[in-house]
Amino acid sequence: MKVIIAIVLIIALTIGIVWAIDKFVPKKIKPFINLILWALIFVLGYMTFNSVYDEIKFNQLKVERYKVVIDRLIDVRDSQLAYKDVNGEFAGDFDKLIKFVENGKVPITQRRDTLVLDEERTKLFGGVETMKTITLIDTLSFYSVKDSIFKGSDRYKTMMNVGVGKEGAKFTLKAGKLDEFPVFEVSVDKAVVLNDQEPYLIEKENQVVSVDGVNGPTLKVGSMEEVFTKGNWPKSYTNKE
């Protein structure tokens, strides 16, 4: 934006100079000076147009690439949640997570309350039967992680790959515990996703703070600093959630 403002000011100044020349410079010299100045106005106008158009193209490409990355992050998140249901923790590396998706089965359970004899209170009341309510969890069946999340697709085998931007780029995966609660985080720098774009546009994108944008310098899901399993993007970037 600062560059655009500067160019517009220069154009305005140049037009002012053209007007001053028309008023005060001898007629013999005017055509040459005017030609140079109008050429300068054209060049600066072209630069202004390109600056605006480059940002438009960047934003379109950014949205397209972010959608690809976010779809993959959602796949990883859903796989991690299934892994936790079975193992009580999140996977710390992609090999372990992919193997789980390939072979893992998650139980379908049902909770029910039932009355049983409370032996301690029965003794306390001299043999008078006293009942208590307990909750039982019944396993009804199991479902395949691969079929449930990926529905016949084998894209889980490459879920570690970012898929766009820098060739061969992979997500960073972390997992652990926070106050005894399992946590995980999967992320990639925006600079990796947009690696072939102008550095000043990437730097500007890294500083985004907006309800309609992806805030901060990374695209990520989960967190190692809080118990959180959502992503840092707005809903407009995906139809999967």
Side-chain angles (χ1 to χ4, degrees), residues 68-114:
V68 172
V69 174
I70 288 167
D71 281 351
R72 291 179 176 236
L73 287 173
I74 291 172
D75 280 344
V76 178
R77 188 271 312 278
D78 291 347
S79 301
Q80 282 281 38
L81 292 176
Y83 186 96
K84 177 178 172 290
D85 284 344
V86 173
N87 298 285
E89 62 182 8
F90 293 112
D93 63 74
F94 278 108
D95 289 341
K96 187 182 295 184
L97 188 60
I98 291 169
K99 185 176 180 181
F100 168 76
V101 172
E102 179 74 44
N103 304 304
K105 294 186 180 297
V106 178
I108 299 173
T109 61
Q110 174 182 281
R111 297 170 65 91
R112 60 185 176 89
D113 294 333
T114 187

Side-chain angles (χ1 to χ4, degrees), residues 21-22 24-37:
I21 289 171
D22 188 57
F24 305 110
V25 173
K27 289 184 178 180
K28 290 183 179 180
I29 307 175
K30 278 183 185 179
F32 301 103
I33 297 178
N34 284 343
L35 184 63
I36 294 171
L37 290 174

Side-chain angles (χ1 to χ4, degrees), residues 85-240:
D85 284 344
V86 173
N87 298 285
E89 62 182 8
F90 293 112
D93 63 74
F94 278 108
D95 289 341
K96 187 182 295 184
L97 188 60
I98 291 169
K99 185 176 180 181
F100 168 76
V101 172
E102 179 74 44
N103 304 304
K105 294 186 180 297
V106 178
I108 299 173
T109 61
Q110 174 182 281
R111 297 170 65 91
R112 60 185 176 89
D113 294 333
T114 187
L115 289 173
V116 297
L117 180 67
D118 188 332
E119 295 182 0
E120 291 185 4
R121 292 179 66 84
T122 298
K123 290 180 182 179
L124 183 64
F125 291 114
V128 178
E129 288 190 354
T130 305
M131 308 301 286
K132 65 179 179 179
T133 301
I134 63 171
T135 299
L136 299 177
I137 299 177
D138 300 323
T139 299
L140 303 178
S141 62
F142 294 84
Y143 68 84
S144 164
V145 178
K146 179 172 62 175
D147 293 340
S148 175
I149 298 175
F150 295 94
K151 305 185 187 309
S153 169
D154 65 352
R155 67 182 186 276
Y156 67 89
K157 295 180 180 179
T158 57
M159 69 168 71
M160 76 294 288
N161 297 331
V162 175
V164 291
K166 187 176 180 180
E167 187 175 353
K170 300 182 183 301
F171 293 112
T172 298
L173 185 152
K174 300 177 184 177
K177 287 192 174 182
L178 183 65
D179 296 330
E180 301 306 313
F181 292 99
V183 291
F184 80 97
E185 181 178 305
V186 187
S187 64
V188 60
D189 288 344
K190 289 179 177 178
V192 172
V193 179
L194 304 168
N195 76 304
D196 55 352
Q197 300 301 297
E198 292 290 342
Y200 80 92
L201 291 173
I202 296 174
E203 181 59 30
K204 183 179 178 181
E205 174 62 20
N206 285 341
Q207 297 172 10
V208 165
V209 179
S210 168
V211 295
D212 298 323
V214 178
N215 296 335
T218 62
L219 281 153
K220 66 177 182 177
V221 64
S223 173
M224 295 301 291
E225 299 175 356
E226 59 180 320
V227 182
F228 186 76
T229 58
K230 293 186 177 182
N232 67 332
W233 54 82
K235 289 183 179 180
S236 60
Y237 276 90
T238 179
N239 294 319
K240 293 180 69 173

